[in-house]
């Protein structure tokens, strides 16, 4: 192993902003929402968004963002137990954008 490979500056994790985190678990019928804090590293369920249409879903998400003013938004990426992508992975990425 080279000195550069052992250097702490090359092994750092990406810098995560401190503060509130809103996390979303995307589904075609429902979207789960959770809230946490980067300093604690724990999230708690907040609500399930059951809006029938995309406009209603995004309105509820906008309300959560305005209320919690998160430093970071996270969207879960569905995967199978073996780590391969799930059919919903593409839709979850699109939702995240």
């Amino acid at each position: 192993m080279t000195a550069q490979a052992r250097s702490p500056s090359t092994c750092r994790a990406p810098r995560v902003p401190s503060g509130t985190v809103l996390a979303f678990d995307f589904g075609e019928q429902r979207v789960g929402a959770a809230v946490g804090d980067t300093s604690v590293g724990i999230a708690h369920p907040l609500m399930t968004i059951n809006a029938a249409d995309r406009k209603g879903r995004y309105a509820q998400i906008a309300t959560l963002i305005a209320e919690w003013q998160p430093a970071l938004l996270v969207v879960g990426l569905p995967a199978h137990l073996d780590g391969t992508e799930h059919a919903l992975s593409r839709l979850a990425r699109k939702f995240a954008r």
Side-chain angles (χ1 to χ4, degrees), residues 20-25 31-36 44-50 56-74 95:
T20 301
V21 177
L22 274 180
F24 299 96
D25 184 13
V31 176
V35 65
H44 300 281
L46 194 56
M47 69 180 297
T48 300
I49 299 168
N50 289 308
R57 239 186 332 255
Y58 289 133
Q60 288 185 36
I61 290 168
T63 299
L64 288 175
I65 292 170
E67 179 182 342
W68 289 94
Q69 298 184 9
L72 187 65
L73 297 174
V74 175
F95 170 77

Side-chain angles (χ1 to χ4, degrees), residues 2-90:
T2 67
Q4 184 177 1
R6 287 182 269 149
S7 169
S9 64
T10 61
C11 298
R12 289 189 188 141
R15 185 156 172 81
V16 176
S18 62
T20 301
V21 177
L22 274 180
F24 299 96
D25 184 13
F26 174 79
E28 290 183 289
Q29 301 297 316
R30 292 174 288 285
V31 176
V35 65
D37 191 287
T38 57
S39 64
V40 180
I42 298 173
H44 300 281
L46 194 56
M47 69 180 297
T48 300
I49 299 168
N50 289 308
D53 65 344
R54 188 181 309 159
K55 186 176 181 179
R57 239 186 332 255
Y58 289 133
Q60 288 185 36
I61 290 168
T63 299
L64 288 175
I65 292 170
E67 179 182 342
W68 289 94
Q69 298 184 9
L72 187 65
L73 297 174
V74 175
V75 176
L77 185 62
H80 293 285
L81 291 176
D82 66 0
T84 59
E85 287 201 1
H86 189 277
L88 286 176
S89 297
R90 180 185 60 81

